Amino acid sequence: MSDILAEAVKGAAAHPRPEGINFTYGTAGFRDKSTILDPVLYRMGLLAALRSKAKKATVAAMITASHNPEPDNGVKLVDPMGEMLEAAWEKHATDLANAKDEDIGSALQRIIDALDIDISLPSDVFVARDTRPSGPPLTQALLDGLKVMGSTFTDFGILTTPQLHYLVRCHNSRGAYGETTEEGYYKKLAQAFLKLREDGTKKKYQPVVIIDGANGVGALKTRKLQPHLNDSLKITVCNDGSSGKLNEKCGADFVKVQQKPPPGMEIQPGQRCVSFDGDADRVVFFYLNKDGVFNLLDGDKISTLIAGYLGELVSASGLQLNIGVVQTAYANGSSTRYLEDVMKVPVSCAKTGVKHLHHKALEFDVGVYFEANGHGTVLFSDQAEQKIKVASQDDSLDSGKREAATRLTLMMDLINQTVGDAISDFLVVETILSTRDWAADDWNMQYKDLPSRLLKIKVKDRTAVQTTDAERCATAPAGLQEAINKLVAKYQQGRSFVRPSGTEDVVRVFAEADTQAIADMLAHEVSVQVYQLAGGVGEQPQPPSTS
Ligand SMILES: CC(=O)N[C@H]1[C@@H](OP(=O)(O)O)O[C@H](CO)[C@@H](O)[C@@H]1O
Ligand SMILES: [Mg+2]
């Protein structure tokens, strides 16, 4: 065994792995109670160094548990261009996390042999964390792993997840994507935002927003962004972490799931509100209408808004670029119909999990992807980027076309193409609303959401449920899909599907119909089938109360 691997085994003594726990690198990396994660972080330090050697580039490790409760934490690795870790490496991460302390050397050797990695190459890793109190000691464990591998590293302290993705891309693109500093991030976004902002007063659009920072990093970083925006937007940050707990009764997940504003937020009718999640890679908007009724503008509404605007700019520029939208099965059926039938934009459906959407979005020149819960961004292909840049400087084009291409270049600067980014997406939405002179109501009126219900069912083994067709059809257990089909057929605009969660030990049931009562009933009836056919545990699902 090489010296480095022997050191890695020795180093494990300070980060012992408890018996009887199985860790899995899932949709969002490792995520668990922070108290048991120390050995996982050490091992991810080892793996991040290997990944860097394999890619001959800087990679990154983000320590966060996103929207989960404060006592949880987690870690995810980021590839050189700011993408999520390549899927094939998830297995290596899982194997290494589960290796006994004394077997770490052989587990590393297996990865080195399988991928023919030259261990003598240098490695370099960027590290950051969210605001969780467990962050600093877990960072230390990760750094210990990097140090025994002889890796260089930069610890950026507290950042949003998308900021870290951005920084690693800036670094590996030798600055072509931007300056490799946190300040550089604010400068790039703010400059594009200010240039896209038109002068003149608006009739409906008010440059005033309230941001719910989920008591997390998004609140801190919005405050750092604010001075760069001059007075173009009045932002009030609430749930800024000064009193409440991270993600507790606030944040994008709370607002989306509970369909209500965080308690304690004082909101005037029509006031645009924005909720970030715990690591600021998700965003949803909401407002109360004049009757005080809550209205959510989720990832589907955001992608429709963005695709519509970029589509107009592309047409106005005269460039031949295809625009597509990528959703998951959780997208509201009205949004899919609106995109396809009214906006005539092609829509692809991907499996849940950002990496699947990201991958599909690469098939378009301009690919807009969002999960309904508010995680998403826009990808411009290299060719599209090139064409847009050339057109923006082509004096032979008429000024309308050139102006549209210039706005597209600014939109490319404003959008964090590496990953969904709450701060960047928020600025993109504000830009479009301002340009269109829309209030929240105007945006919301593009289409009317169908009522839906999302439930969780506990079963003995969630892998008993298997799916195909981007998770819209269950192939196991036998008879489940037939039962769902029969139930769905009873209701107007009924739609339902089930899938095992990638992040929780549950099966998720989704149902949608033309009224809330029917969506609730359909979700319940499908839950009963899951419970009966897929080995439900605990009490049988109870029908929705009709009060
Ligand atoms: C219905 C739902 O919201 N699912 C979430 C959730 O995945 P599950 O596999 O459904 O647990 O967490 C993922 C990671 O954050 C996110 O990408 C996804 O959208
Ligand atoms: Mg998140």
Side-chain angles (χ1 to χ4, degrees), residues 31 64-67 76 161 277-282 375:
R31 221 172 259 191
T64 177
S66 183
H67 62 281
K76 42 191 177 185
T161 294
D277 77 335
D279 62 339
D281 62 355
R282 279 197 210 175
H375 186 125

Side-chain angles (χ1 to χ4, degrees), residues 314-315 317-323 365-366 381 383-384 387-388:
V314 167
S315 304
S317 71
L319 291 168
Q320 296 299 315
L321 299 173
N322 66 48
I323 293 197
D365 294 325
V366 181
S381 70
Q383 211 197 359
K387 281 189 190 171
I388 291 167

Side-chain angles (χ1 to χ4, degrees), residues 484-498:
I484 296 174
N485 293 347
K486 266 197 204 151
L487 292 168
V488 164
K490 294 199 298 186
Y491 301 117
Q492 284 284 329
Q493 304 202 65
R495 185 169 74 91
S496 179
F497 67 93
V498 304

Side-chain angles (χ1 to χ4, degrees), residues 444-461:
N444 197 27
M445 269 165 20
Q446 283 199 288
Y447 64 85
K448 191 172 177 335
D449 274 323
L450 278 172
S452 65
R453 179 63 60 198
L454 185 59
L455 297 175
K456 310 177 192 186
I457 307 297
K458 273 208 170 298
V459 296
K460 265 200 284 308
D461 172 13

Side-chain angles (χ1 to χ4, degrees), residues 171-182:
H171 180 73
N172 286 311
S173 67
R174 307 271 173 273
Y177 197 65
E179 203 185 282
T180 313
T181 62
E182 190 185 335

